[in-house]
Amino acid sequence: IQKLCDRVASSTLLDDRRDAVRALKSLSKKYRLEVGIQAMEHLIHVLQTDRSDSEIIGYALDTLYNVISNDLEEEEQEENLPKQVDDLGSQFTEIFIKQQENVTLLLTLVEEFDFHVRWPGVKLLTSLLKQQGPQVQQIILVSPMGVSRLMDLLADSREVIRNDGVLLLQQLTKSNAAIQKIVAFENAFERLLDIITEEGNSDGGIVVEDCLLLLQNLLKNNNSNQNFFKEGSYIQRMKPWFEVGDDNCGWSAQKVTNLHLMLQLVRVLVSPTNPPGATSSCQKAMFHCGLLQQLCTILMATGVPADILTETINTVSEVIRGCQMNQDYFASVNAPSNPPRPAIVVLLMSMVNERQPFVLRCAVLYCFQCFLYKNQKGQGEIVSTLLPSTIDATGNSVSAGQLLCGGLFSTDSLSNWCAAVALAHALQENATLKEQLLRVQLATSIGNPPVSLLQQCTNILSQGSKVQTRVGLLMLLCTWLSNCSIAVTHFLHNPANIPFLTGQIAENLGEEEQLVQGLCALLLGISIYYNDNSLENYRKEKLKQLIEKRIGRENFIEKLGFISKHELYSRAAQKPQPSFSSPDHMMFDHEFTKLVKELEGVISKAIYKSSEEDKKEEEVKKTLEQHDNIVTHYKKVIREQDQELEELKQRINTLTSQNEQLQATVTQQVSQIQQHKDQYNLLKVQLGKDTQHHNSHDTFQMNGIQTEEVSKLKEELEEWKNKHELLQGQLREKDSVIEKLKSSQLEMGTTEQSSQTSKSGGLEHNNELQKELEMLRSQIQLQSAEISKLQVENQKLQVMNTTADCVLGDSGATAANSSELQGRLEQEIKELKSEVKALSEEKESLKQHLDSSSSTVAILQDEKSKLQQEVAESKKEQDDLLVLLADQDQKLSALKIKLKDLGVPVEDEDDIESGDQADEDEDGDEEEQD
């Protein structure tokens, strides 16, 4: 070995060094100590300097592995020398890791892809972790990317390296939360679950087992990784692990091991020691993904190995513990029997059957406890099977309550204990059920009257049965009487109970009986502490005096302390699952240890309290009870308000959905109404066009033609009025001229005959003129009569116009009516058809009205044509009148010429007119002054 070490250290040729290292490797198995002492330093130097040659590196790594690892030596060494072997491997490991650079160098070599380097490097690092785990973990943790480089081993395509990489990570993650988190966040869960699936889940080989062990390392007591596992939806990927067929015969040992580890992995996620929130979320996830249902299928399957069945029961227990949803599901599971029986009943039958394995009976008890944990509904269902009103009189099916009673009074002490503890869990923290259980009556034998369950328990207790049976019954009675004054009163009502308890406590018995004495002291203390003083002979003060006389206070407290000092008590207080090495050690229940811890102190204080203090305490209790009642009342009110709020929220949601539906319906109906509106407006427009077509000359037209014609007629009338006034003015002028002529003729004398002759001729001519004037006046009167007639007709036309406006107003009212109808359409859509019918009827009436209007228009057109004829005639007469007036002017001008010739002064018309105009102006000025 020394020569070989020299060759490794001094040879310049690589081949020589390689041969020397190969020789050291072959010697290292047999001469481990010598090679380790002499060659380790040289081998480490080879790792540092000959990195380019993978073969020599591989030999060096193998040699170091043989030196450091204990695996080979353990196979060869005798069984009496394991300590020496362990010390040797540990010492060489300590030498190797003293220089941290060696571990870092090894991490670098593990990164090499070459099989001859990577595989021995992985094995060496695994061995170092086995020997000096915490120190090597710390070096890898502080090494840059140390853990990440090792995670790459899981992705290696060569199964040997991948599998050894899993073993390396197992050692690396042991008891180191920091490394566990890094490995988990390097996607370890995904890779490991993929490997398990590839290998065939529970049917896989040793590789599946190694992966499951690594998963346990990553998840156990690591809340961060558990949460990451749940959030990553990896729980759903566990369901296929538990898919077992109908034929469960001949399971291989590896499959049993794999399934056992898979069940343990489920339990790691829902362990009672985890934070409650994390456990609850995992339990819900397992229910929703169907994992719980799959476990219950295994539970009820046939041919499943006993240890797998036991572990499945324990797993189901923790999956349902404290989770109402899962507990309700478990209560609904039926066993595939004929007739089907609830799974709970089938399991309880196994628990009270003394032929079943002890571990299986413990598992069933744990399952029953977990089913009742924080499950008042389940507790009520179990107790209800014992009550007289619900017991099946036919006896066809056995209930859970009947099984528990049967186990409670059987000859097997283990069945007594299990049934007592199970029944105590049915009463845990449920005062209502404690009172209801007092109603249970048992038929002990034919002919004897039935006795209560409480009385039967005390009867068996006083008969001096086995210690295990008495401990179980005392735990049941302590749980039943605690915090239930009515049950205490029932217990004290039996006059034999208190003397039995005081007698048990006062005696000096052996070590085995001390536990029974302590439990009797606890039961007597509960009878004092929860006593409501309703029985005169067993009031608190009298019971305390009895203890003082027969037992002594100090002795009573000492006996009470036997419970918590017992070794089995301490073991039961550690975790909820009953785990006992043998049936004889099955004495205490986990929940009962909590009750003892709670009551031990208060009972000790109650024993030393005086009557006055008791009174004060009673008053305080009453006050607290009143306060609790008030709080309970308000809680009830709040609960009712919450229910009302929920109902209101549901109603709001319902009304909101109804509102949305109605809004959609209204929107649809509004669109329909809009369509009907459009149709109505279209009909209206068509009706207006028809009216316009038929009444183009009608006074009731709505397009403005009638008003234009009326205005034209008014203008014509105004023109005729003006003309009429002009003619009257001209007539007045002519009359004034004639009057002047008359006066001038009267003033002339009769001096000349020729003038008389001419005068007589003028008078005759004047008479003729007067006749003509009379004729003109009559014509003018006729014309004025016609004009007045036209005015009357005009007034009639105006009346007709207002009538037409009224008709238009009626049509507006109709439109308003239609809008009102449209409003009704929006509110009551069902009446849409009837209103459309009403509109069509209205349209018919409008058509009828239109026809009547057309007839009226025809009449008015006839009258209008008559008026136009009359106007034409009046125009003609006016023309004739103008002609006459023109002739008269000619005649007047001729007369003036004659009068001028005769020498009579005659004024011209222009002068007269100017004079008249001046007179009118003066009259106007006087009126303005007035």
Side-chain angles (χ1 to χ4, degrees):
I1 293 170
Q2 183 62 47
K3 287 179 181 180
L4 290 171
C5 290
D6 291 340
R7 284 176 60 188
V8 171
S10 59
S11 294
T12 54
L13 292 175
L14 180 61
D15 291 340
D16 292 342
R17 292 200 303 275
R18 187 189 302 123
D19 293 339
V21 174
R22 187 190 297 120
L24 285 171
K25 174 189 170 186
S26 61
L27 291 169
S28 61
K29 293 181 181 179
K30 191 172 183 180
Y31 303 101
R32 179 183 174 195
L33 180 61
E34 292 80 0
V35 172
I37 292 171
Q38 297 180 42
M40 182 175 283
E41 186 179 348
H42 300 297
L43 293 171
I44 292 171
H45 184 70
V46 167
L47 295 178
Q48 292 170 345
T49 57
D50 290 326
R51 293 273 305 272
S52 59
D53 185 63
S54 59
E55 197 172 351
I56 192 172
I57 294 291
Y59 292 147
L61 290 170
D62 282 332
T63 308
L64 286 169
Y65 172 72
N66 291 339
V67 169
I68 289 172
S69 174
N70 290 325
D71 299 341
L72 298 172
E73 288 291 330
E74 283 172 355
E75 293 174 5
E76 297 172 4
Q77 291 286 340
E78 295 178 0
E79 292 182 1
N80 57 351
L81 297 173
K83 190 174 182 183
Q84 182 184 350
V85 171
D86 289 345
D87 288 345
L88 193 58
S90 180
Q91 287 169 8
F92 282 130
T93 302
E94 196 171 344
I95 294 167
F96 183 84
I97 66 171
K98 190 174 284 185
Q99 298 294 327
Q100 293 190 7
E101 295 81 6
N102 295 341
V103 179
T104 309
L105 175 63
L106 195 52
L107 289 172
T108 309
L109 292 172
V110 167
E111 278 191 291
E112 296 288 337
F113 185 73
D114 193 314
F115 182 81
H116 297 291
V117 176
R118 196 171 207 183
W119 188 40
V122 170
K123 290 196 294 181
L124 176 57
L125 193 53
T126 307
S127 185
L128 290 172
L129 284 161
K130 281 182 181 178
Q131 303 299 331
Q132 296 286 343
Q135 292 90 329
V136 180
Q137 284 175 341
Q138 197 59 36
I139 296 168
I140 293 173
L141 192 59
V142 298
S143 175
M145 299 293 291
V147 178
S148 301
R149 284 188 276 186
L150 296 178
M151 281 301 299
D152 293 336
L153 296 171
L154 294 181
D156 200 305
S157 57
R158 294 159 296 193
E159 287 192 9
V160 177
I161 295 178
R162 184 199 68 183
N163 298 345
D164 281 350
V166 173
L167 295 173
L168 168 60
L169 290 169
Q170 273 185 34
Q171 298 299 324
L172 181 66
T173 54
K174 273 186 179 177
S175 307
N176 193 311
I179 292 178
Q180 289 167 3
K181 289 180 184 177
I182 296 170
V183 170
F185 282 96
E186 288 284 347
N187 208 20
F189 294 138
E190 185 78 33
R191 294 181 185 180
L192 292 171
L193 291 171
D194 287 342
I195 294 170
I196 292 170
T197 306
E198 288 168 13
E199 294 292 325
N201 293 328
S202 60
D203 294 320
I206 189 78
V207 180
V208 173
E209 181 183 345
D210 292 335
C211 289
L212 291 168
L213 288 169
L214 176 53
L215 283 170
Q216 278 195 23
N217 283 356
L218 294 173
L219 292 171
K220 198 166 188 178
N221 300 322
N222 193 318
N223 300 328
S224 173
N225 282 4
Q226 288 174 9
N227 188 52
F228 181 63
F229 191 84
K230 180 186 70 70
E231 295 296 333
S233 300
Y234 296 119
I235 290 176
Q236 288 83 330
R237 295 187 59 178
M238 297 168 75
K239 183 189 172 187
W241 296 353
F242 306 103
E243 291 175 356
V244 295
D246 296 330
D247 184 16
N248 294 314
C249 302
W251 284 19
S252 66
Q254 186 61 57
K255 179 169 183 176
V256 171
T257 304
N258 289 345
L259 207 51
H260 204 274
L261 288 170
M262 288 170 175
L263 291 167
Q264 285 181 353
L265 195 62
V266 174
R267 291 184 66 185
V268 164
L269 293 169
V270 291
S271 171
T273 57
N274 293 344
T279 300
S280 176
S281 59
C282 287
Q283 287 171 331
K284 289 175 184 175
M286 287 175 184
F287 174 78
H288 289 305
C289 76
L291 181 59
L292 174 60
Q293 293 84 329
Q294 205 68 49
L295 291 172
C296 290
T297 305
I298 298 176
L299 200 66
M300 295 292 111
T302 54
V304 178
D307 52 347
I308 292 296
L309 182 61
T310 303
E311 190 62 25
T312 304
I313 294 171
N314 286 327
T315 306
V316 170
S317 306
E318 292 183 352
V319 172
I320 67 172
R321 188 175 189 269
C323 181
Q324 188 68 52
M325 179 171 58
N326 293 5
Q327 289 165 338
D328 291 343
Y329 170 76
F330 184 69
S332 68
V333 174
N334 285 326
S337 58
N338 193 14
R341 283 178 176 169
I344 296 171
V345 172
V346 175
L347 290 173
L348 287 177
M349 290 171 75
S350 300
M351 186 184 77
V352 297
N353 185 353
E354 56 186 306
R355 291 191 297 272
Q356 291 290 346
F358 173 65
V359 288
L360 180 65
R361 296 174 76 179
C362 289
V364 173
L365 175 61
Y366 184 45
C367 186
F368 192 71
Q369 290 174 348
C370 291
F371 170 67
L372 297 178
Y373 182 69
K374 293 184 178 180
N375 182 12
Q376 292 195 349
K377 181 182 174 185
Q379 289 176 322
E381 289 171 355
I382 297 298
V383 172
S384 67
T385 59
L386 283 167
L387 299 178
S389 59
T390 56
I391 292 175
D392 187 4
T394 60
N396 292 332
S397 62
V398 65
S399 67
Q402 289 169 327
L403 284 170
L404 290 176
C405 279
L408 199 61
F409 308 123
S410 75
T411 55
D412 177 30
S413 61
L414 189 60
S415 296
N416 301 152
W417 190 91
C418 290
V421 169
L423 202 53
H425 275 263
L427 303 175
Q428 203 80 37
E429 297 179 1
N430 200 323
T432 307
L433 295 182
K434 290 176 182 177
E435 294 175 14
Q436 286 187 3
L437 202 65
L438 295 169
R439 294 165 47 204
V440 176
Q441 300 289 319
L442 300 173
T444 52
S445 59
I446 299 170
N448 292 333
V451 296
S452 68
L453 176 61
L454 184 68
Q455 183 62 46
Q456 184 65 10
C457 289
T458 55
N459 290 345
I460 295 172
L461 199 60
S462 60
Q463 288 171 6
S465 52
K466 290 182 181 179
V467 173
Q468 193 175 40
T469 301
R470 283 182 288 161
V471 168
L473 289 171
L474 284 167
M475 284 197 298
L476 172 61
L477 289 171
C478 288
T479 306
W480 193 347
L481 268 60
S482 66
N483 205 20
C484 184
S485 301
I486 298 172
V488 171
T489 304
H490 277 255
F491 179 75
L492 295 174
H493 204 269
N494 185 351
N497 288 340
I498 295 300
F500 167 75
L501 291 177
T502 53
Q504 285 284 317
I505 300 166
E507 288 183 17
N508 291 319
L509 302 172
E511 193 174 332
E512 287 185 357
E513 294 293 329
Q514 284 184 349
L515 193 54
V516 176
Q517 285 184 317
L519 290 169
C520 287
L522 180 66
L523 184 58
L524 183 56
I526 289 170
S527 301
I528 294 171
Y529 186 71
Y530 291 105
N531 193 342
D532 60 356
N533 294 328
S534 56
L535 293 174
E536 185 63 33
N537 294 333
Y538 297 103
R539 295 173 66 84
K540 283 185 179 182
E541 194 59 35
K542 289 189 176 181
L543 290 174
K544 287 182 195 176
Q545 291 172 1
L546 188 66
I547 290 172
E548 181 68 27
K549 288 178 183 177
R550 295 194 179 179
I551 305 167
R553 288 180 182 176
E554 290 77 10
N555 192 20
F556 178 85
I557 299 300
E558 183 185 355
K559 297 289 174 73
L560 184 63
F562 284 164
I563 303 172
S564 56
K565 291 175 184 175
H566 203 282
E567 181 189 352
L568 296 176
Y569 173 90
S570 304
R571 196 176 297 173
Q574 289 174 1
K575 57 180 181 177
Q577 182 183 1
S579 57
F580 306 100
S581 56
S582 68
D584 296 335
H585 292 161
M586 207 169 190
M587 289 293 175
F588 284 110
D589 170 58
H590 178 74
E591 292 296 324
F592 181 73
T593 60
K594 292 182 182 178
L595 182 69
V596 172
K597 199 177 292 183
E598 179 187 336
L599 293 177
E600 190 176 9
V602 295
I603 289 172
S604 300
K605 289 179 183 177
I607 295 299
Y608 284 103
K609 279 180 183 174
S610 62
S611 57
E612 292 179 359
E613 289 175 339
D614 280 339
K615 287 179 182 178
K616 288 180 181 178
E617 189 177 343
E618 286 294 325
E619 291 176 1
V620 171
K621 273 189 179 179
K622 286 179 181 177
T623 309
L624 288 172
E625 283 177 4
Q626 290 175 356
H627 176 70
D628 289 341
N629 290 334
I630 293 168
V631 170
T632 308
H633 171 69
Y634 280 116
K635 281 183 180 177
K636 187 178 178 183
V637 170
I638 289 167
R639 199 176 296 112
E640 289 173 356
Q641 288 176 346
D642 286 341
Q643 290 176 354
E644 289 177 3
L645 278 172
E646 286 299 323
E647 290 174 1
L648 289 171
K649 283 179 182 176
Q650 291 176 358
R651 283 184 62 190
I652 286 169
N653 292 332
T654 308
L655 291 171
T656 305
S657 59
Q658 289 178 357
N659 185 29
E660 288 174 356
Q661 292 176 358
L662 289 171
Q663 282 182 347
T665 310
V666 166
T667 307
Q668 186 180 359
Q669 291 172 351
V670 164
S671 63
Q672 290 178 356
I673 289 168
Q674 189 61 40
Q675 291 176 1
H676 288 295
K677 274 185 180 180
D678 295 339
Q679 292 175 1
Y680 174 74
N681 291 330
L682 190 63
L683 290 171
K684 199 168 165 186
V685 169
Q686 289 176 353
L687 185 63
K689 284 183 179 178
D690 293 340
T691 309
Q692 181 177 355
H693 182 265
H694 291 295
N695 299 326
S696 57
H697 299 291
D698 191 4
T699 56
F700 289 100
Q701 290 172 356
M702 293 178 283
N703 55 3
I705 297 173
Q706 177 196 5
T707 53
E708 290 176 3
E709 291 184 355
V710 169
S711 62
K712 285 180 181 179
L713 288 172
K714 285 182 179 179
E715 289 175 359
E716 290 180 1
L717 285 172
E718 288 296 327
E719 289 178 1
W720 286 112
K721 281 181 182 179
N722 293 333
K723 289 180 180 180
H724 177 67
E725 289 176 358
L726 184 61
L727 289 171
Q728 282 184 341
Q730 289 177 355
L731 285 173
R732 281 196 296 271
E733 289 174 0
K734 302 297 182 185
D735 288 338
S736 64
V737 169
I738 290 166
E739 288 297 328
K740 285 181 181 178
L741 289 170
K742 282 180 180 180
S743 61
S744 62
Q745 286 176 357
L746 289 172
E747 287 174 356
M748 290 181 65
T750 55
T751 52
E752 291 180 3
Q753 193 173 359
S754 59
S755 62
Q756 289 178 356
T757 306
S758 61
K759 185 180 176 182
S760 61
L763 288 170
E764 290 175 1
H765 185 66
N766 193 14
N767 290 330
E768 289 176 2
L769 287 172
Q770 284 180 351
K771 287 179 182 179
E772 288 177 1
L773 285 169
E774 289 296 330
M775 286 174 65
L776 287 170
R777 282 175 182 166
S778 63
Q779 287 177 358
I780 286 166
Q781 287 176 357
L782 287 171
Q783 287 178 355
S784 63
E786 288 177 1
I787 286 166
S788 62
K789 187 177 179 182
L790 284 171
Q791 287 176 345
V792 170
E793 293 293 336
N794 185 23
Q795 290 176 357
K796 285 182 180 180
L797 286 171
Q798 289 177 351
V799 170
M800 293 288 187
N801 191 12
T802 54
T803 309
D805 293 337
C806 291
V807 172
L808 288 171
D810 290 338
S811 68
T814 307
N817 190 18
S818 70
S819 67
E820 183 180 354
L821 289 172
Q822 290 162 9
R824 288 183 185 174
L825 282 171
E826 291 176 355
Q827 295 174 359
E828 301 174 355
I829 200 66
K830 292 180 182 178
E831 299 178 3
L832 185 62
K833 292 181 180 179
S834 60
E835 294 191 8
V836 168
K837 188 176 178 183
L839 286 171
S840 60
E841 290 175 358
E842 188 177 357
K843 179 184 172 186
E844 291 297 326
S845 65
L846 283 171
K847 284 183 179 178
Q848 292 175 2
H849 186 66
L850 179 63
D851 295 336
S852 63
S853 300
S854 300
S855 60
T856 309
V857 165
I859 295 167
L860 287 172
Q861 282 180 343
D862 293 338
E863 291 181 357
K864 180 181 175 184
S865 59
K866 288 179 183 179
L867 283 171
Q868 286 176 345
Q869 288 176 0
E870 289 178 358
V871 167
E873 290 175 358
S874 63
K875 279 183 179 180
K876 200 172 182 181
E877 288 175 356
Q878 290 284 355
D879 292 337
D880 294 338
L881 184 60
L882 286 170
V883 171
L884 288 172
L885 287 170
D887 292 340
Q888 188 179 9
D889 286 337
Q890 289 178 356
K891 288 179 182 178
L892 284 170
S893 60
L895 286 170
K896 284 180 182 178
I897 293 167
K898 286 181 181 179
L899 288 170
K900 284 181 181 178
D901 292 338
L902 291 171
V904 178
V906 179
E907 294 180 358
D908 291 332
E909 288 182 8
D910 296 335
D911 298 336
I912 294 169
E913 287 177 4
S914 61
D916 293 336
Q917 184 68 37
D919 294 337
E920 288 175 4
D921 293 339
E922 289 175 1
D923 294 336
D925 295 334
E926 289 174 1
E927 287 173 6
E928 285 175 5
Q929 288 174 2
D930 295 337

